[in-house]
Amino acid sequence: MRLIVLRSALLAATMLAAPAFAQEPPRPTISPEALPLREIEPSPPPLAPLIVVGEGEETPAPTIDAIPRVWSPVPRDDDGRTAYGLFLSGRSALAQGRFEEGATFLGAVQTLTPEQPAVTEQATTAALLAGDLRYAARTASDAGAASPAIGEAAELVAAVLAFADGDARRANTQLKSDPVGAPHVRAGALVAPWIAAAAGDWETALAEPNPTADPLGVVFGRYNRAILLERRRRYDDAEAALRVLIDNPRTAPVFRAAYGEFLERRGRRDEAVAVYEAGIAAGALDPGLIPEAARAASGGRPPALPTFRAGAAEALTIAARQATAEGAEQFAVVYLRLAVALDRTPETLYLLGQTATQEDDLRELGLAVLTQVPADPPAIYAASRVQLGLTLAAEDRPEDALAAFLAAQAAAPQDARIAQVTAGQLLQLDRHEDALELLNGPLLNIEGQGADVRFLRGAAYESLGRIPEAEAELWTALQAEPNEPVYLNYLGYLWVDSGTRVAEGAEMIARAHAADPEDGNIQDSLGWAQFRLGQFETAVETLEQAVAKEPANAEINDHLGDAYWSVGRRREAGFQWTRVLTLDPDAERRAEVEKKLAEGLDL
């Protein structure tokens, strides 16, 4: 169908771009999801049951009443606003992702009704997500009345903020006397050694990680210990700790770069280059190995050891990455808020924004943070603009998405991934010539180009009526990925709709539908192929199912009207065509439908 042409074009572009930019930028921190250590345990519960998760769906509420049924007198603030009204306003703001506004309202309710634990919990959650960490820290003394997700988060926040304020000793004492518990154990365990080191408590800072803790926490705890040993100038012990990590084939891909940097700092440049090159030859996961090797080989200055604050921020980033991998984006956002409080780097801001945009309820927060990423370094800025564009595109804001992609292109003009996602967005906006300029340019029109680039180019040619060129590109893409339902559907529909190779196109669409039976657009293509083959009764059933999946799609409703007419159901055909006119069809379709309403369908 025509609509899927544009949707699929953008999808094909983002399929390549999204994974590339969903990763953290090259090596300010280490990505733990690359480490296949164990089966991930079930995700921890959300911080608090306060966010609408879908149309008409709300996270289950706690059994405690947030507001008593009867208050006498009703609590009011200085402006005369009732606790009831403030609470409802706060909930409404949170449901729409306006966390700062929600935190303000709920904080006011909590001040009026401190005896209400559910209100305190929701106000604390809103403050954590909005970045009002100090409000959350102030609730730590009352954490016994809160759920562990909130109470332990408040304890973690209180300790990290004390450290950020320059009082490492108080933070260290707090963490030693009352370690952060579940579900934030990993974050507390990873950050605690850095705080202890800053406090001068090297015995605690250099203690071996608890071997019974979760394996990922143990591994990264050992990495932190190795860095702290180097800071303590215990170089032999630091190297031994790093060797344990890189001698294990499961952890070596993650820590090769760290070991190479250690060797560089010790003046062993040739050994460092050998480590980097070995990792590159082995196809290691760390994309930073290539620039690391180039810098070391050219005699460049190796990365310095992190400060205590930067090390603690990296530890929290590691915890956030694993929380995201476990589906606990709210936890990850809290950890990253703390990381930013300790070390506000472009990389950490980008990761905070990128993480928040992955959850619908945090999307507005993510967009706001991404706009704060500075223009330097350009690679991080470009990545933030791509993520911004992908998120805006998902929110059906195509012009804003294009502006973000163009900003990314300006910052990284030689990045082929950005050129590709920009071309996809241009196709979404019917700017086919502009898209072709990128797709046929030197970044994308290269030997060995991917099937997704071929597909986008074919879509652009088809939209411009350059059918032979479109068929050639789409066929090449399909040969590279013969089971991709988007490619099968696109080329199959082109053949069916043009009437050139209807049977072959119908067979391809049937394969696409079998691969993705829930896609209403592909089901429409299948029904239209059946219609073109004269299988009118079957087409009616298929297209009715397609309309049920995509009820607001003008083209599918139009096709169903044609199918109804073909089996003699003229009144229902008229209803479907009339409905098409209410669905904002393009001018060409509107004219065709109005003609059918006036004259009927000429079969």
Side-chain angles (χ1 to χ4, degrees):
M1 59 172 297
R2 174 64 180 164
L3 182 60
I4 200 173
V5 169
L6 301 180
R7 289 184 176 175
S8 299
L10 181 60
L11 173 63
T14 56
M15 281 191 300
L16 176 75
F21 290 100
Q23 299 171 8
E24 194 170 349
R27 249 201 71 75
T29 59
I30 298 174
S31 170
E33 72 266 22
L35 193 61
L37 292 176
R38 64 184 176 97
E39 293 293 322
I40 294 176
E41 297 173 358
S43 300
L47 284 177
L50 55 80
I51 300 174
V52 175
V53 296
E55 288 296 327
E57 301 175 17
E58 188 168 281
T59 311
T63 55
I64 301 172
D65 286 339
I67 298 291
R69 300 188 180 199
V70 177
W71 249 324
S72 183
V74 175
R76 295 177 181 271
D77 66 8
D78 292 342
D79 296 323
R81 299 177 299 180
T82 68
Y84 295 109
L86 289 166
F87 179 77
L88 293 174
S89 296
R91 289 275 299 200
S92 176
L94 294 177
Q96 298 174 52
R98 304 194 314 272
F99 294 104
E100 292 185 13
E101 184 180 343
T104 299
F105 282 124
L106 291 172
V109 180
Q110 197 273 336
T111 300
L112 292 172
T113 63
E115 78 284 356
Q116 290 295 314
V119 172
T120 298
E121 190 151 318
Q122 294 195 35
T124 305
T125 302
L128 287 169
L129 295 175
D132 188 357
L133 302 177
R134 301 205 177 269
Y135 175 88
R138 288 197 299 271
T139 67
S141 59
D142 299 324
S147 69
I150 295 300
E152 297 302 324
E155 294 286 354
L156 175 66
V157 169
V160 172
L161 287 185
F163 177 40
D165 289 340
D167 197 346
R169 290 186 178 181
R170 177 161 63 91
N172 183 48
T173 299
Q174 176 184 326
L175 290 174
K176 289 178 67 175
S177 62
D178 187 14
V180 177
H184 304 291
V185 172
R186 182 188 295 127
L190 288 175
V191 78
W194 290 97
I195 293 176
D201 182 1
W202 285 100
E203 181 180 355
T204 299
L206 298 178
E208 285 278 359
N210 180 0
T212 63
D214 73 273
L216 187 137
V218 172
V219 166
F220 280 95
R222 288 173 177 165
Y223 162 71
N224 286 337
R225 181 173 179 272
I227 301 302
L228 288 169
L229 283 166
E230 186 181 357
R231 283 197 61 94
R232 195 62 172 160
R233 300 184 180 180
R234 290 172 53 178
Y235 301 122
D236 291 343
D237 292 337
E239 182 168 11
L242 286 169
R243 289 292 322 183
V244 169
L245 295 172
I246 70 160
D247 287 343
N248 183 332
R250 300 176 74 188
T251 58
V254 179
F255 296 103
R256 276 196 183 95
Y259 182 50
E261 291 170 1
F262 168 82
L263 293 172
E264 287 188 77
R265 287 191 291 267
R266 304 310 310 140
R268 295 156 62 182
R269 192 178 303 277
D270 291 343
E271 293 177 66
V273 171
V275 168
Y276 298 143
E277 290 180 346
I280 295 168
L285 297 173
D286 189 343
L289 284 175
I290 294 176
E292 294 265 25
R295 186 206 62 248
S298 66
R301 184 185 296 274
L305 281 169
T307 65
F308 294 135
R309 287 173 66 108
E314 181 177 14
L316 289 163
T317 299
I318 290 168
R321 296 300 297 265
Q322 184 62 11
T324 299
E326 294 171 351
E329 283 81 6
Q330 288 193 357
F331 289 175
V333 166
V334 173
Y335 303 156
L336 290 167
R337 287 284 198 190
L338 291 172
V340 170
L342 289 172
D343 191 27
R344 187 184 176 89
T345 66
E347 293 89 343
T348 311
L349 278 174
Y350 162 63
L351 186 57
L352 172 58
Q354 189 273 335
T355 301
T357 58
Q358 300 310 297
E359 185 171 327
D360 289 345
D361 306 307
L362 302 176
R363 187 170 290 168
E364 290 302 318
L365 167 65
L367 289 172
V369 173
L370 288 171
T371 61
Q372 299 173 33
V373 176
D376 188 39
I380 303 302
Y381 177 77
S384 73
R385 266 42 198 174
V386 168
Q387 186 62 49
L388 190 64
L390 294 174
T391 307
L392 291 167
E395 291 197 332
D396 198 24
R397 296 168 58 183
E399 293 286 357
D400 293 337
L402 178 61
F405 294 143
L406 291 174
Q409 240 192 327
Q414 299 306 311
D415 194 313
R417 299 167 301 172
I418 297 175
Q420 183 173 336
V421 77
T422 304
Q425 190 63 35
L426 287 166
L427 284 174
Q428 181 80 349
L429 291 165
D430 293 331
R431 292 175 55 177
H432 308 114
E433 294 284 4
D434 292 335
L436 273 178
E437 185 176 348
L438 286 174
L439 293 165
N440 289 332
L443 291 178
L444 297 176
N445 195 9
I446 59 174
E447 184 177 354
Q449 61 192 272
D452 37 18
V453 176
R454 295 279 192 183
F455 171 76
L456 288 177
R457 190 180 292 115
Y461 281 140
E462 188 272 340
S463 297
L464 292 169
R466 297 164 63 174
I467 302 304
E469 292 165 287
E471 288 181 318
E473 294 292 335
L474 295 169
W475 182 255
T476 302
L478 189 58
Q479 298 317 294
E481 296 187 25
N483 297 315
E484 170 53 55
V486 171
Y487 301 170
L488 286 165
N489 178 72
Y490 197 109
L491 183 56
Y493 185 81
L494 173 61
W495 284 345
V496 165
D497 197 47
S498 65
T500 54
R501 302 168 71 173
V502 176
E504 188 174 352
E507 187 273 332
M508 291 165 62
I509 294 170
R511 287 168 53 198
H513 178 64
D516 191 0
E518 297 307 312
D519 191 308
N521 291 304
I522 294 178
Q523 184 144 11
D524 170 68
S525 298
L526 180 63
W528 194 239
Q530 292 162 347
F531 180 90
R532 289 287 194 173
L533 290 168
Q535 301 167 4
F536 299 127
E537 294 288 352
T538 303
V540 166
E541 295 180 10
T542 302
L543 290 167
E544 284 178 337
Q545 295 171 23
V547 167
K549 293 174 181 176
E550 297 281 346
N553 187 301
E555 185 168 2
I556 300 178
N557 279 276
D558 187 15
H559 285 168
L560 179 57
D562 291 1
Y564 280 149
W565 183 277
S566 68
V567 296
R569 296 164 63 174
R570 305 296 172 84
R571 181 175 296 178
E572 290 164 284
F575 172 81
Q576 290 301 136
W577 291 332
T578 301
R579 175 165 170 73
V580 170
L581 298 179
T582 70
L583 298 175
D584 194 26
D586 58 40
E588 181 180 356
R589 185 171 302 279
R590 178 177 293 276
E592 291 175 354
V593 168
E594 288 173 346
K595 182 179 179 182
K596 284 186 284 191
L597 283 169
E599 302 175 8
L601 182 65
D602 184 13
L603 292 174

